[in-house]
Amino acid sequence: MSVTYRGDMMADTHTRARNPATRCVELAELAAFLRRLHPRDTATNVSAETGIAYRTVQGWLQERYPPRLDAFLTLVRVYGPDVLAAALPDRLGWLDAARQDAEADRIRTQMAAMTARLAQLEHTA
């Protein structure tokens, strides 16, 4: 369940149901994504990687409220298009291509590191 805040007061259930802003991020999917990244100490690790307050991350994991825009953009900056795909309720056509590009970049980086290590091992043998 997501929660919308107006000032210091929490909006009632009927207001939340009618407010499209509460449906911008699928909290259950966002929480599942973060838990897949960090199965142990999820809030601690996400907070350390992003600089977002531990209690804020805990609120998302407990599905009490959605991330604010600045925090969500921080998640995107740190975790890339994968977090967008996990958290957005509607699939965006360009997002699948962006995710594939990001995965290809990760694989290229890993391959370069492995190639360099292999060359190092062969040179010392």
Side-chain angles (χ1 to χ4, degrees):
M1 175 176 90
S2 61
V3 177
T4 300
Y5 290 90
R6 290 210 176 112
D8 293 342
M9 300 180 62
M10 184 169 46
D12 64 20
T13 304
H14 299 291
T15 302
R16 285 195 315 259
R18 284 182 275 136
N19 185 346
T22 62
R23 294 187 301 271
C24 289
V25 173
E26 294 289 340
L27 279 177
E29 297 300 323
L30 176 61
F33 172 81
L34 296 173
R35 286 187 177 105
R36 280 192 303 275
L37 288 176
H38 302 290
R40 301 185 63 142
D41 301 318
T42 304
T44 300
N45 287 311
V46 170
S47 180
E49 286 183 347
T50 64
I52 298 169
Y54 171 87
R55 290 182 63 168
T56 299
V57 177
Q58 272 294 89
W60 304 338
L61 294 172
Q62 295 168 356
E63 300 178 37
R64 291 192 313 230
Y65 46 81
R68 292 183 347 198
L69 179 60
D70 60 334
F72 191 69
L73 291 175
T74 297
L75 291 175
V76 172
R77 181 181 49 78
V78 172
Y79 299 122
D82 290 339
V83 74
L84 284 171
L88 296 179
D90 298 320
R91 298 298 275 175
L92 304 172
W94 58 267
L95 189 52
D96 289 329
R99 289 180 65 212
Q100 288 176 352
D101 288 346
E103 183 177 5
D105 287 344
R106 283 191 298 272
I107 291 170
R108 281 188 204 95
T109 300
Q110 292 171 349
M111 288 175 57
M114 292 165 86
T115 301
R117 180 64 179 137
L118 180 59
Q120 198 176 44
L121 291 171
E122 290 175 343
H123 181 67
T124 58

